Amino acid sequence: MSQKKFSLIAAACENMGIGINGSLPWRLKNELKYFNQRTTKIDDISKKNALIMGRKTYFGIPENKRPLPGRLNIVLSATSKQSDYPAGVLLCRSFDEAIAKLADPSLSEEIENVWIVGGYSVYKEAMASPLCHRIYFTEIKASFECDAFFPNIPDDFKLVENDDDLPSEVQEENGLKYQYKIYEKL
Ligand SMILES: NC(=O)c1ccc[n+]([C@@H]2O[C@H](COP(=O)([O-])OP(=O)(O)OC[C@H]3O[C@@H](n4cnc5c(N)ncnc54)[C@H](OP(=O)(O)O)[C@@H]3O)[C@@H](O)[C@H]2O)c1
């Protein structure tokens, strides 16, 4: 049973904030589109991608937009029950349980890529894992009041220069500047 590598995807502001009051501190339509495109993109059309997220991240997605379509939504929670989620959402009690389920042939054959989509403790555990490949990191060039943060990126991640697949120029929406970056584990 081979465990799948995974990548993280996050958008954080200058003070490393990612969320406030259960939702995003900013409204960036194209950045959300980038998130959805990247986490949905597959090469083999018979497969789909999986997303692993904490309970607060899941319930922070607007009710009419969750579960995030076209992807297997895996929610980590010790306190909620499977019946709190619609059919198709997979509830796991730990990060390791999610990774083990994804390695099981019943799932691994239908999943192409695994994306870690937050929040804090899920990102932290994921970055420490040898299975972690990359961090797709949107750097928002402003500070926002936040109550959820991105953890420190460990020293064994290095910035990837000139990835073909990534717009390198600074983006701007509603007067807010941001830039897509990729870090890769050495
Ligand atoms: N900007 C971004 O890219 C981005 C990305 C993601 C989220 N966000 C924002 O960040 C905020 C949510 O993040 P957060 O850090 O506060 O919370 P979170 O990680 O989404 O959720 C925390 C909860 O998830 C469960 N959980 C986490 N790790 C677990 C594990 N290893 N095993 C079992 N359960 C686990 C626990 O649920 P139980 O208490 O039920 O056990 C925990 O209380 C929201 O504001 C959201 O909008 C932003």
Side-chain angles (χ1 to χ4, degrees):
M1 207 158 76
S2 81
Q3 290 184 319
K4 271 191 195 309
K5 282 200 150 207
F6 52 72
S7 290
L8 281 67
I9 186 161
C13 58
E14 279 172 355
N15 45 327
M16 292 304 262
I18 58 168
I20 180 114
N21 299 329
S23 61
L24 297 176
W26 45 79
R27 196 177 136 68
L28 295 171
K29 228 172 139 194
N30 290 335
E31 208 283 325
L32 262 187
K33 206 160 138 193
Y34 168 84
F35 166 86
N36 282 314
Q37 281 173 347
R38 204 169 264 291
T39 58
T40 307
K41 188 173 172 284
I42 38 159
D43 290 329
D44 178 345
I45 56 159
S46 70
K47 297 189 177 185
K48 61 182 172 180
N49 294 334
L51 309 177
I52 301 181
M53 69 195 90
R55 173 179 55 81
K56 292 181 184 168
T57 295
Y58 178 78
F59 286 107
I61 301 166
E63 205 169 346
N64 60 342
K65 298 227 165 78
R66 65 180 195 242
L68 291 171
R71 293 147 284 182
L72 171 65
N73 288 221
I74 301 179
V75 179
L76 305 186
S77 168
T79 63
S80 54
K81 38 189 197 309
Q82 187 66 58
S83 58
D84 295 330
Y85 301 91
V89 172
L90 183 63
L91 169 65
C92 290
R93 298 298 179 198
S94 68
F95 187 76
D96 287 346
E97 184 190 329
I99 296 301
K101 284 221 165 104
L102 286 164
D104 189 275
S106 61
L107 259 189
S108 71
E109 281 160 22
E110 67 177 70
I111 298 299
E112 188 165 297
N113 302 301
V114 178
W115 288 97
I116 312 302
V117 301
Y120 176 86
S121 62
V122 190
Y123 284 140
K124 192 165 179 179
E125 192 164 358
M127 286 193 293
S129 164
L131 295 170
C132 185
H133 174 46
R134 281 180 158 189
I135 306 167
Y136 287 79
F137 190 88
T138 303
E139 198 176 270
I140 296 176
K141 297 177 182 298
S143 276
F144 286 82
E145 189 191 347
C146 290
D147 59 16
F149 295 86
F150 194 84
N152 286 335
I153 299 176
D155 289 343
D156 55 346
F157 284 90
K158 289 287 167 272
L159 199 60
V160 175
E161 307 284 351
N162 308 321
D163 188 90
D164 289 347
D165 203 19
L166 198 72
S168 59
E169 63 281 5
V170 173
Q171 310 291 307
E172 187 166 351
E173 267 185 278
N174 313 324
L176 187 57
K177 290 190 168 63
Y178 60 96
Q179 194 167 16
Y180 298 120
K181 300 212 161 160
I182 300 176
Y183 293 89
E184 194 166 287
K185 200 165 201 156
L186 294 175

